[in-house]
Structures are given as C-alpha cells and as structure tokens.
Amino acid sequence: MWHLRNGCLRYNAYMKEVIRSILSDPTNRYFFYISDVLAVVTIMSVVSLVLETVPSLAEYIWLFTAIEWLAVVLFSIEYLARLWVSNPTWRYLISFFGIVDLLAILPTFIGAGNLTFLKSARALRVVRLLRIVRIAKLSHLKNRTDESIGVVGLNAVIYCSLLILGLLLTGTLIYLFEADVQEFASIPAGMWWAMQVFAGGIPVEQPLTNLGGVVYVLARFFGFVLLGVLVGVIGNVFKVTLLK
C-alpha cells in the first residue's frame, strides 16, 4: 500500500511538471500548439461577442452561442490545469492573469451566455493574448542576433493589443450604458465612437447618462495612454534605425 501511494504521488508530480511545461515553457514542442489554439479561440470568442450585438445578425445567435460555450469549455480546462500545477495554488489564483482567466469564463456561467451586462467582462479575454504574445516573443529573442528589432516588434504588438482592448471595453460599456441612443446600437458602433474619442479633436455623440459620461472620460484617458505607448514604439523604431 505504501509503495502504491508513493507511486501515485510520483506520477502526480510528474504529470504536474508535464502540464506546467506545456502551458508555460516555450521550449516545449507542444507549447505553441496549445497557445495557437487558445489564441484562435480567444479571437473567435471576442469577435462573436462583438457581432452578436448587431441587430442584422440576430439570426446567427445560435452560432455565436456555440462559439461562446466552446471557448468557455476550453478556457475552463486551461484555468483548472493552471490552478492544479500552480505551487502554491493561491499564487496563480490571485495573480493578474489568474484573475483575467477567471473573468474570461465566470460571466458566461453566471449569465448562461445571455446576460447583457456581463459582456464587458467577457471582452477582457483579449488580455489573454498579451500573455501568449509576450512569452512567444521573448522566446524568439533568444535566437535573434538583433534583439532590438524583437523588442520593437513586441512593443508594436502590445500597442495594438492595448488599442483593441481599449476599443472593446469602452465600446462595450458605452453600448451597455447608452442602449437607448441610436449611435450606440451595437458594440461595433460603440467601438467606432471610442476610436474617435481616442483620436481627440473629433466631434462625437455625447453620452446622456452619468455612467456614459464616466465611459467618455475613461475613453479620453485611454486615448492619452495609447498616445504615450505609440510615442514609445516610434522612439524605439528610430533608436533601432540609428543603431544600424
């Protein structure tokens, strides 16, 4: 009995190490397969979230629901796997990406995929791409002779990811809080409004509610943040050019 228990413990530790390597070690040959699948599913779920609010696409709600639950099942498996291999467990549970991963699945289970006000939390899934891109890019840097180019590429990807995240969050929030305004009849319409707010200097529809006003201020602030990140990316490009 003691030998059986000891063998089970060793096997359990071995499987944890294997799964941990697959999920977080870029040198593992299965890492990029899993990352690519999760990235594709993440993008599909976010696009589905945006399109399901377009009135003219209401007939495809069955497809959007199927994509949503496919994504949630895969994300749940990943979340439980990361929780299992984390040592100690609470380290992943309270980490930034641990919270993001939980928010990627919890709203759907709570709302059965239909509660409108939970859409904004589901839009956080795009943040998951930052982890995948960051690990993948940093692993490639080890094999590059010019690391500066890799850093510029990583910064550009981060900027684009932040832009998409900002558009999704503010576009979704203004869609939720200003549902009675024609200009915010869908998330894509809200995202177009958010893009104009980010750009600054363009006359836009002013929110009618207090919460909508908060979203407007948030969008303006996000626009300034994006401008700062963009200046940093351009600065790195000039830096690399001068070093050549």
Side-chain angles (χ1 to χ4, degrees):
M1 180 65 70
W2 182 86
H3 292 290
L4 179 61
R5 181 174 180 275
N6 193 38
C8 289
L9 290 175
R10 286 201 301 268
Y11 180 76
N12 183 66
Y14 169 75
M15 288 304 300
K16 278 189 175 184
E17 187 57 36
V18 169
I19 295 177
R20 183 184 295 110
S21 176
I22 292 175
L23 291 176
S24 59
D25 184 5
T27 62
N28 188 300
R29 62 174 179 169
Y30 297 108
F31 170 81
F32 287 104
Y33 294 123
I34 298 298
S35 296
D36 289 346
V37 170
L38 292 174
V40 169
V41 173
T42 298
I43 294 172
M44 286 176 56
S45 68
V46 172
V47 172
S48 173
L49 162 67
V50 171
L51 294 181
E52 73 179 46
T53 65
V54 179
S56 60
L57 299 179
E59 60 182 298
Y60 299 105
I61 189 64
W62 61 270
L63 176 61
F64 301 142
T65 302
I67 293 175
E68 172 65 18
W69 282 105
L70 171 64
V72 167
V73 169
L74 292 179
F75 294 158
S76 298
I77 294 173
E78 181 205 8
Y79 180 78
L80 293 175
R82 291 186 182 278
L83 199 62
W84 183 51
V85 302
S86 178
N87 186 27
T89 302
W90 60 263
R91 180 175 298 173
Y92 169 70
L93 196 62
I94 65 174
S95 67
F96 173 75
F97 282 113
I99 295 173
V100 168
D101 290 345
L102 180 61
L103 290 177
I105 59 178
L106 197 58
T108 300
F109 284 121
I110 294 176
N114 295 317
L115 289 186
T116 303
F117 68 88
L118 292 174
K119 294 183 187 299
S120 57
R122 288 161 55 191
L124 283 172
R125 288 173 186 171
V126 74
V127 181
R128 293 165 47 87
L129 292 175
L130 291 176
R131 173 174 56 199
I132 297 173
V133 169
R134 178 179 178 275
I135 295 176
K137 283 289 184 180
L138 290 180
S139 67
H140 290 326
L141 286 180
K142 298 178 181 178
N143 299 320
R144 300 180 75 110
T145 56
D146 187 354
E147 295 188 359
S148 297
I149 298 177
V151 171
V152 171
L154 177 58
N155 289 337
V157 171
I158 291 177
Y159 172 79
C160 292
S161 300
L162 286 175
L163 175 61
I164 295 172
L165 174 62
L167 290 174
L168 280 170
L169 289 181
T170 53
T172 301
L173 288 174
I174 200 67
Y175 159 75
L176 296 178
F177 297 147
E178 301 287 330
D180 297 330
V181 180
Q182 181 61 33
E183 285 74 7
F184 308 126
S186 66
I187 291 181
M191 291 173 66
W192 175 244
W193 171 85
M195 174 63 80
Q196 296 178 77
V197 176
F198 289 173
I202 301 176
V204 296
E205 181 73 21
Q206 294 298 313
L208 301 179
T209 65
N210 291 332
L211 289 176
V214 172
V215 177
Y216 175 78
V217 173
L218 177 63
R220 291 288 293 163
F221 174 76
F222 215 103
F224 289 125
V225 172
L226 287 170
L227 178 61
V229 175
L230 180 60
V231 169
V233 172
I234 295 175
N236 282 329
V237 171
F238 280 110
K239 181 179 178 182
V240 171
T241 303
L242 292 174
L243 290 175
K244 287 184 177 180

